Amino acid sequence: MAAAATLHCLTGCAIGEVLGMVIGTSLGLHNAATVVLSIALAFVFGYGLTMRGVLRAGVGVRAALKVALAADTISIAVMELLDNAFMVAVPGAMDAGLTSLLFWAALAASLLVAFLLTTPINRWLISQGKGHAVVHHYHHAH
């Protein structure tokens, strides 16, 4: 269940992360601005993906947002810390450009690292009745 929860969370995060990196890199933004944009979009898409399932279960928008915040905040924050730290740590990755194998390989590896290191955290959160455990029954209600 923890791996599935992490993969679900990673899907939304990855959409925002990749989009932010692509936008920031293509606009020539400073690395810090690109990272901030990626983090912001990862939270938007991460929460949005969770809210989509909760809304389909018949929950109102305000309540769905509360569920998404409770379910995903820690997971998204950890993933974003890990994958952006990885991107910054790989020499030249942030400046390599969109046509570079280094850029795309580092980005893919950063998401893999985020998945692998966030899964145990999500396992612990679920065992405590937190994290994805908060949203689990909504996903099976539709």
Side-chain angles (χ1 to χ4, degrees):
M1 186 169 162
T6 306
L7 186 59
H8 180 268
C9 189
L10 181 66
T11 301
C13 287
I15 293 168
E17 182 71 24
V18 171
L19 188 59
M21 287 289 168
V22 167
I23 291 170
T25 300
S26 66
L27 294 177
L29 298 180
H30 186 276
N31 290 349
T34 299
V35 167
V36 169
L37 178 61
S38 293
I39 291 169
L41 290 175
F43 273 95
V44 167
F45 282 94
Y47 289 145
L49 187 60
T50 295
M51 285 184 63
R52 190 185 91 198
V54 175
L55 289 168
R56 279 196 313 220
V59 176
V61 173
R62 188 179 185 119
L65 179 58
K66 288 180 182 180
V67 169
L69 291 171
D72 291 340
T73 299
I74 293 171
S75 184
I76 294 171
V78 170
M79 282 186 188
E80 288 307 297
L81 174 70
L82 292 168
D83 62 32
N84 282 289
F86 188 94
M87 281 299 290
V88 170
V90 173
M94 293 285 295
D95 299 317
L98 298 178
T99 60
S100 168
L101 178 60
L102 174 61
F103 174 84
W104 291 105
L107 187 54
S110 77
L111 295 171
L112 177 61
V113 166
F115 174 79
L116 293 174
L117 297 178
T118 305
T119 299
I121 294 167
N122 282 331
R123 182 177 296 123
W124 181 81
L125 287 168
I126 290 166
S127 76
Q128 302 301 305
K130 297 179 168 110
H132 200 265
V134 173
V135 74
H136 184 69
H137 72 277
Y138 292 106
H139 284 300
H140 298 288
H142 55 277

